[in-house]
Amino acid sequence: MRRLIVEIKKEKKKIEKICETVEQQLLQCGDVQGGSVDVKEKHSTLQFYIKGNNQKYEYIPAGEKEKAEKIVRYKYYRKIEKIAKKELELLTKVEMFLETQSIEMVYANMGKIKQQLVEPVVIPREQYRNTWLEEEYEGKKFSEDNVEIYTDRGERVRSKSEKIIADKLYREDIPYRYEYPLILPGGIVFYPDFTILDEENRRNLIYEHFGMMDNEEYANNAIAKLQLYAEAGYILGDDLFITMETSTKPFDSRMLDGIIKQIKN
């Protein structure tokens, strides 16, 4: 629902810019009187006719065609203005409704005691998020020789790059799980670096960071992993995101910024 409201706001801004352009064009048309214009092509030349008070179309000499052109432009921009204002009015009404009314809010506004008596058709967004974050799971085990690196959220990760990613997601208030087990078709168990909650669509997104791509064996395993994701139906840039680095090309957090922007939009 929030994404829909965001899209409505974007559409309103676009139409408001159109209205500004139309207003400028109408000013350029000047004080144009009413009347209908008919344009005909004769011998590859445009001929203009204006309907006068007698309701008959009168031919406009070529030297006066600017008058007819202004009337055509004026009527065009007036129609655009009328439709644009109507669209803005409707979008504003929808925006106001969505910001004050929603299916989720019916349950959220019932009160905790009454909530116990019904099964919500749609779980409120905040409740869904909290339940998702609070789920207990067993992640991938750390070996004794793993360096101890902890995120701002207090969880242990395997590399400095993963700490940067985790801390950035945390600061951006994006709910995630670190190395949450994922069972692919065929019973294959993966532990993706990050499983991110797409709150708007209530689905899990996978984010993998491949940190040693200049290591041939590691790179081959990464490619094999991506192939398995593809076979399972994951689409890169939709519900699967990746970043990479090598010893000479370290992780650039700007790559993560682009992913976060896409997730939020």
Side-chain angles (χ1 to χ4, degrees):
M1 192 65 69
R2 292 184 183 180
R3 184 169 295 178
L4 178 57
I5 293 175
V6 169
E7 291 302 318
I8 289 175
K9 290 182 182 294
K10 288 181 181 179
E11 187 66 19
K12 284 179 63 179
K13 287 183 178 179
K14 185 175 73 174
I15 296 175
E16 286 168 356
K17 288 183 179 179
I18 291 174
C19 287
E20 291 176 3
T21 300
V22 167
E23 185 177 353
Q24 293 173 1
Q25 293 295 332
L26 286 171
L27 289 173
Q28 292 180 15
C29 289
D31 186 18
V32 176
Q33 299 298 321
S36 298
V37 174
D38 188 20
V39 183
K40 297 180 179 179
E41 185 175 1
K42 189 174 183 180
H43 305 303
S44 299
T45 302
L46 295 180
Q47 294 183 343
F48 296 87
Y49 299 83
I50 296 181
K51 184 185 288 186
N53 294 330
N54 58 3
Q55 298 301 305
K56 293 182 179 180
Y57 281 97
E58 300 176 357
Y59 173 72
I60 299 296
E64 300 178 15
K65 69 176 185 178
E66 184 179 347
K67 177 181 178 182
E69 292 172 347
K70 280 188 176 182
I71 292 175
V72 172
R73 291 198 297 270
Y74 178 84
K75 286 185 172 294
Y76 168 74
Y77 291 121
R78 277 299 184 196
K79 287 181 180 179
I80 295 294
E81 181 184 50
K82 182 179 179 181
I83 293 174
K85 286 183 176 179
K86 188 65 177 178
E87 287 186 11
L88 276 176
E89 181 183 345
L90 290 173
L91 288 172
T92 299
K93 287 181 179 179
V94 173
E95 180 186 2
M96 290 178 63
F97 175 81
L98 293 177
E99 287 181 337
T100 57
Q101 303 286 333
S102 74
I103 296 174
E104 293 180 19
M105 290 177 64
V106 175
Y107 181 80
N109 294 334
M110 286 181 65
K112 292 184 178 180
I113 296 178
K114 291 183 179 179
Q115 285 177 352
Q116 299 174 16
L117 306 178
V118 299
E119 184 70 26
V121 175
V122 179
I123 300 174
R125 185 188 184 104
E126 184 176 353
Q127 181 179 336
Y128 186 91
R129 172 193 171 105
N130 291 339
T131 300
W132 190 90
L133 285 171
E134 292 168 3
E135 179 182 334
E136 295 184 1
Y137 64 93
E138 186 173 343
K140 192 175 180 180
K141 300 294 185 182
F142 287 88
S143 61
E144 293 183 0
D145 59 344
N146 282 136
V147 179
E148 291 194 22
I149 302 173
Y150 292 90
T151 68
D152 292 345
R153 201 168 74 172
E155 64 201 337
R156 187 179 178 184
V157 292
R158 300 179 187 277
S159 69
K160 292 180 180 179
S161 294
E162 287 184 348
K163 171 177 167 53
I164 292 172
I165 294 168
D167 290 344
K168 181 72 172 179
L169 293 174
Y170 184 55
R171 289 195 301 271
E172 292 289 335
D173 196 32
I174 295 177
Y176 73 88
R177 297 167 176 163
Y178 180 70
E179 292 190 342
Y180 179 80
L182 171 67
I183 302 177
L184 296 180
I188 301 173
V189 180
F190 276 173
Y191 292 87
D193 295 330
F194 299 93
T195 300
I196 296 171
L197 174 62
D198 176 359
E199 294 186 74
E200 185 67 27
N201 299 299
R202 301 194 174 186
R203 60 175 185 160
N204 289 350
L205 310 177
I206 300 301
Y207 176 18
E208 292 278 17
H209 176 69
F210 298 113
M212 297 187 297
M213 292 301 287
D214 48 356
N215 180 295
E216 184 177 355
E217 181 180 358
Y218 181 95
N220 288 333
N221 288 336
I223 292 172
K225 195 173 189 180
L226 290 174
Q227 289 175 336
L228 288 173
Y229 276 131
E231 291 171 6
Y234 286 89
I235 300 174
L236 193 63
D238 177 37
D239 52 5
L240 173 63
F241 300 89
I242 65 171
T243 48
M244 301 179 183
E245 66 177 304
T246 68
S247 58
T248 58
K249 295 289 184 180
F251 175 64
D252 187 340
S253 61
R254 287 176 296 184
M255 294 187 291
L256 177 58
D257 292 338
I259 292 174
I260 289 176
K261 184 177 180 180
Q262 190 169 347
I263 291 172
K264 286 190 170 183
N265 290 338

